[in-house]
Amino acid sequence: MAHTANYQLLLASTSTMPGERFLAYLSEELNTLFGHTKTITFIPYARPSGMSWDSYTRHARQTLAALGYSVKGIHQWDNPLDAIQESEAFFTGGGNTFALVHSLHEFGLMEALASRLAEGIPYLGCSAGTNIAGLTMQTTNDMPVVYPASFKTMGILPCNINAHYTEAIIPNHQGETRMGRIQEFQSFNPIPVVGLPEGTWLRVKGHSIHLEGNGQAKMFTPDQPPQFIDQIPFHAGQYH
Amino acid sequence: MAHTANYQLLLASTSTMPGERFLAYLSEELNTLFGHTKTITFIPYARPSGMSWDSYTRHARQTLAALGYSVKGIHQWDNPLDAIQESEAFFTGGGNTFALVHSLHEFGLMEALASRLAEGIPYLGCSAGTNIAGLTMQTTNDMPVVYPASFKTMGILPCNINAHYTEAIIPNHQGETRMGRIQEFQSFNPIPVVGLPEGTWLRVKGHSIHLEGNGQAKMFTPDQPPQFIDQIPFHAGQYH
């Protein structure tokens, strides 16, 4: 491996479990992740349902304040690139992955963020915020509400992530299953994909990737049958 | 209206009803649409599950041969633009909308096809093939397996289409509902969207648009509550 990275990432499938409050199921994990860090920079660009960056940041701030953290939105810096360089921790919330990736590319932040994370800056990602740790955003479930400059993402993981992974099927419906969609993606792009069910997360420490939470993940390896796994069969940062 | 178009389009939500064969539920409609036309040019670029253009064309050919039509794949011309100019009817099959739109832009066919359809050339679209009659492909349900040069589509309809529209919900799952996704799209792009449930289709004749098939459609008008409709409240071609 050419470079040594000191990743401290928690990459969750979802921010919110059914019937629970925002981040509630992760609150203990956040202590472990953020440690003595007091201030977290929130990246609200995925803005779910089109809510404003301000509103989404307020929402994150309310929850994280109760856990002892102060939160500043990345858009509240004069230059978001300064936020990337100066922050001591990041949280990228879920929402629309196209919107998130569009803004990160528009402001020239994608590679800068990846570099900071390699230095060991703690990072929490949920849903879209987890997706961008992969090679590309192309296994998102979201609608293409905006046209990003590129589908390329941080490439910290040597795979793509499918968040909210499910094998549930809507009866009498001809739309593809999630598994079918991921396999279709792989027929165009032969790269591994990890389907991350809700309630599970990846914890990246240094170069190791651990699957944690309430279940297994579904591993899609090109040209092999997909299978449920307990352990992630590769390391972070191998493309850096 | 600046120009007069003579559209003859059948824009179906799906190609295949549950438990039925490919196009079976539309076979009578195809007679009405294609009339005495004997040869249909098939546009296989959406290639579901990543199947080849050849395989997908073979699949369409088998079904349409039984109904008395011969089928040629657009990729079987030396230049696909010649196919657009010379064909007497088109059928664009479903699959991945990103793949379809990518190829149509790559080969410079999107506007050429729209122009031919304005002349009255019969057109059958299913799913992705229906989506491209709208203003943009941005209300697709598909994964972004490839990066198209643009999300813009033919703009024959003054709205976007969401095919396979459903209000079904997967229990205990935090992914957005279809309605939520469409409303999120509209918070970024305030244009109308028609959610077309399976078994329904739009028949475009001249400039009129009729909703046909086994049900209603869901009309999403920006800043208004969505509602089920029996009739389409606008006309085709108003952006040409």
Side-chain angles (χ1 to χ4, degrees):
Chain A
M1 213 166 284
H3 302 284
T4 300
N6 183 30
Y7 295 116
Q8 306 293 336
L9 317 180
L10 197 163
L11 304 171
S13 176
T14 190
S15 62
T16 313
M17 292 297 283
E20 295 188 9
R21 295 180 56 163
F22 186 60
L23 297 180
Y25 81 107
L26 289 172
S27 55
E28 283 189 28
E29 302 299 330
L30 298 192
N31 285 331
T32 312
L33 174 69
F34 290 125
H36 298 295
T37 306
K38 288 277 168 275
T39 305
I40 299 169
T41 293
F42 183 62
I43 300 178
Y45 297 142
R47 57 197 197 97
S49 308
M51 74 195 299
S52 72
W53 296 341
D54 272 343
S55 298
Y56 196 18
T57 300
R58 228 168 8 245
H59 181 60
R61 181 178 295 126
Q62 278 168 4
T63 296
L64 288 167
L67 300 172
Y69 303 104
S70 71
V71 164
K72 184 171 176 179
I74 190 171
H75 62 291
Q76 295 169 323
W77 266 261
D78 286 342
N79 180 345
L81 201 52
D82 292 341
I84 298 291
Q85 301 306 343
E86 296 166 15
S87 297
E88 53 178 340
F90 295 99
F91 169 28
T92 303
N96 186 285
T97 313
F98 291 86
L100 172 60
V101 170
H102 181 271
S103 292
L104 289 173
H105 284 309
E106 182 181 14
F107 303 135
L109 307 179
M110 191 72 83
E111 290 178 17
L113 180 58
S115 297
R116 284 307 315 280
L117 300 192
E119 293 171 17
I121 301 294
Y123 177 88
L124 169 64
C126 293
S127 191
T130 288
N131 178 300
I132 61 168
L135 295 168
T136 76
M137 59 158 286
Q138 292 175 270
T139 45
T140 178
N141 308 308
D142 299 331
M143 271 191 183
V145 300
V146 292
Y147 183 76
S150 163
F151 286 158
K152 202 158 173 285
T153 45
M154 291 194 290
I156 292 171
L157 307 174
C159 64
N160 272 11
I161 296 293
N162 179 252
H164 308 285
Y165 180 74
T166 177
E167 302 203 335
I169 289 173
I170 298 175
N172 294 319
H173 189 259
Q174 294 301 102
E176 294 88 348
T177 62
R178 187 69 59 83
M179 195 184 304
R181 292 175 193 279
I182 292 170
Q183 291 177 319
E184 184 175 82
F185 164 78
Q186 288 185 316
S187 75
F188 287 82
N189 308 273
I191 63 176
V193 178
V194 175
L196 211 51
E198 305 203 327
T200 61
W201 61 88
L202 300 180
R203 182 182 293 279
V204 186
K205 281 183 155 178
H207 292 279
S208 71
I209 310 174
H210 298 281
L211 177 64
E212 301 182 353
N214 72 0
Q216 297 178 306
K218 191 92 174 205
M219 182 74 224
F220 296 84
T221 305
D223 301 321
Q224 290 181 31
Q227 55 180 345
F228 279 105
I229 54 170
D230 297 300
Q231 296 187 316
I232 302 295
F234 40 67
H235 291 87
Q238 58 192 53
Y239 286 168
H240 282 284
Chain B
M1 213 167 283
H3 303 285
T4 300
N6 184 30
Y7 295 116
Q8 305 293 333
L9 317 179
L10 197 162
L11 304 171
S13 176
T14 190
S15 62
T16 314
M17 291 297 284
E20 294 189 9
R21 296 182 53 166
F22 186 60
L23 298 180
Y25 81 108
L26 288 172
S27 56
E28 282 189 29
E29 302 299 329
L30 299 191
N31 285 331
T32 311
L33 175 69
F34 291 125
H36 299 295
T37 306
K38 286 278 169 272
T39 304
I40 299 169
T41 293
F42 182 62
I43 301 178
Y45 297 142
R47 56 198 198 95
S49 308
M51 74 197 298
S52 72
W53 295 341
D54 273 344
S55 297
Y56 196 19
T57 300
R58 233 174 357 253
H59 180 62
R61 181 178 294 125
Q62 279 167 3
T63 296
L64 288 166
L67 300 173
Y69 303 103
S70 71
V71 164
K72 184 171 177 179
I74 191 171
H75 62 292
Q76 294 169 322
W77 266 260
D78 287 340
N79 180 346
L81 201 52
D82 291 342
I84 298 291
Q85 300 307 342
E86 296 167 15
S87 297
E88 53 178 340
F90 294 99
F91 169 28
T92 303
N96 186 285
T97 312
F98 290 87
L100 172 60
V101 169
H102 180 271
S103 292
L104 289 174
H105 285 309
E106 182 181 14
F107 303 135
L109 306 179
M110 191 71 84
E111 290 179 17
L113 179 58
S115 297
R116 284 307 316 279
L117 299 192
E119 294 171 16
I121 302 293
Y123 177 87
L124 170 64
C126 293
S127 192
T130 288
N131 178 301
I132 61 169
L135 294 169
T136 77
M137 59 159 287
Q138 291 175 270
T139 45
T140 178
N141 309 308
D142 298 333
M143 271 191 183
V145 299
V146 291
Y147 183 76
S150 163
F151 287 158
K152 204 158 172 281
T153 46
M154 290 194 289
I156 292 170
L157 307 174
C159 63
N160 272 11
I161 295 293
N162 179 252
H164 308 285
Y165 180 75
T166 177
E167 302 203 334
I169 289 173
I170 298 174
N172 294 321
H173 188 258
Q174 294 301 102
E176 294 89 349
T177 62
R178 187 68 60 83
M179 194 183 304
R181 291 176 193 280
I182 293 170
Q183 291 177 318
E184 184 174 82
F185 164 79
Q186 288 185 316
S187 74
F188 286 83
N189 308 273
I191 62 176
V193 178
V194 175
L196 212 52
E198 305 203 328
T200 61
W201 61 87
L202 300 180
R203 183 181 292 281
V204 185
K205 281 184 156 179
H207 291 278
S208 70
I209 310 173
H210 298 281
L211 177 64
E212 300 181 354
N214 72 359
Q216 296 177 307
K218 190 91 173 207
M219 182 74 223
F220 296 83
T221 305
D223 301 322
Q224 290 181 31
Q227 55 180 344
F228 280 106
I229 54 169
D230 298 301
Q231 296 186 316
I232 302 295
F234 40 68
H235 291 86
Q238 59 194 52
Y239 286 168
H240 282 283

